[in-house]
Amino acid sequence: MAEIILNVDVREGVGTGGARAARRAGFVPGVLYGGDKAPVALSVNEKDFRKSLYTGKLLGHLVTLKYGDETQPVIAKDVQFDPVSDRPLHFDLMRVDEHAPVKIEVPVHFKNEANAPGIKRGGVLNIVLHEITVRTKPATIPEFFEVDLTGLEIGHSVHLSALKVPDGVRVVTRDKNPTVASIAEFTSSAINTTRIEAIIRAFPTAGTGTNIAVGTRMTESQTSCLKASSWR
């Protein structure tokens, strides 16, 4: 059983006008698609939707959709946000068969940056893969893949083979053993790249209406160095 239950209403008004009307009424508009059925326009109470969203177990996870007395399993595929207020504007849900495998992207998380000698010496974490595509049944979709950075020096890389893949989960990739992340030397080009990405982190939805992935991360000492330097 999915941990998140979304109580939805079916929207009669479709298109931009119907979506705006739903938002004015305090709802988040969305669409349910997939399978051999036609798409259905939905709406969810915005407060309830935010609570589910902020658990971190909505996007990319098995969700129970509830309409009246009817329920069905779905996967939350996408959420669009307002570029200024970060308010959820629209969501996409995909119908699934609980017993049939699905293809989905799983986020990669990193831990123990403080225990990486390369970062202590001024290196930066260069993330190559923010997400990893897997094929598995909805109930066994991993919440995330975790990379331990302990002991990594400048020039070291973490490859896909180092990740723990749960039973029943198959990684889908073109390369046999792609690089997930590396510790790179902190150069002037890295400074410029990280400046831009610092802005993206501060305003993750700026100008796009969707979240933007960030590649390079900085330590506290590097952040202080960046603040002290001038823009060039």
Side-chain angles (χ1 to χ4, degrees):
M1 177 65 69
E3 294 187 40
I4 300 294
I5 298 176
L6 285 180
N7 292 287
V8 303
D9 292 317
V10 175
R11 286 190 292 124
E12 295 183 1
V14 296
T16 303
R20 288 176 178 173
R23 295 186 195 104
R24 286 195 298 268
F27 291 85
V28 181
V31 62
L32 172 66
Y33 66 91
D36 56 357
K37 299 180 180 179
V40 178
L42 306 173
S43 64
V44 178
N45 180 277
E46 183 174 348
K47 291 183 179 179
D48 294 338
F49 188 80
R50 284 177 178 268
K51 289 179 181 178
S52 298
L53 182 63
Y54 297 154
T55 63
K57 297 181 179 181
L58 176 63
L59 272 175
H61 289 75
L62 186 64
V63 175
T64 297
L65 190 68
K66 186 174 183 181
Y67 175 61
D69 295 328
E70 300 180 15
T71 62
Q72 71 175 102
V74 300
I75 288 180
K77 293 287 290 184
D78 185 49
V79 178
Q80 297 177 8
F81 299 87
D82 184 279
V84 177
S85 66
D86 217 28
R87 177 187 181 189
L89 297 178
H90 190 274
F91 63 88
D92 293 346
L93 302 177
M94 182 180 71
R95 299 183 183 95
V96 296
D97 180 346
E98 288 186 88
H99 306 290
V102 295
K103 186 177 178 182
I104 193 166
E105 294 182 335
V106 177
V108 180
H109 292 180
F110 299 85
K111 69 175 184 178
N112 293 330
E113 288 186 47
N115 296 329
I119 292 180
K120 289 182 179 180
R121 293 189 179 94
V124 293
L125 174 60
N126 180 44
I127 302 174
V128 181
L129 295 179
H130 295 273
E131 298 175 325
I132 294 175
T133 303
V134 302
R135 187 172 180 82
T136 185
K137 292 182 179 180
T140 55
I141 297 173
E143 187 172 342
F144 56 85
F145 288 107
E146 190 169 62
V147 175
D148 190 348
L149 302 174
T150 300
L152 294 187
E153 297 278 2
I154 293 176
H156 285 185
S157 299
V158 178
H159 293 85
L160 185 62
S161 58
L163 273 60
K164 294 181 180 179
V165 180
D167 293 337
V169 177
R170 181 171 65 88
V171 174
V172 180
T173 177
R174 292 182 180 179
D175 299 327
K176 185 176 181 180
N177 191 25
T179 299
V180 177
S182 63
I183 306 297
E185 185 177 357
F186 193 63
T187 63
S188 58
S189 60
I191 294 176
N192 292 334
T193 299
T194 313
R195 281 171 173 163
I196 295 172
E197 292 182 343
I199 296 174
I200 293 175
R201 280 197 192 89
F203 304 96
T205 59
T208 65
T210 56
N211 285 329
I212 301 173
V214 180
T216 305
R217 297 170 64 179
M218 301 175 63
T219 62
E220 291 183 3
S221 61
Q222 291 159 357
T223 302
S224 299
C225 176
L226 175 61
K227 290 180 179 178
S229 61
S230 60
W231 287 81
R232 294 177 182 176

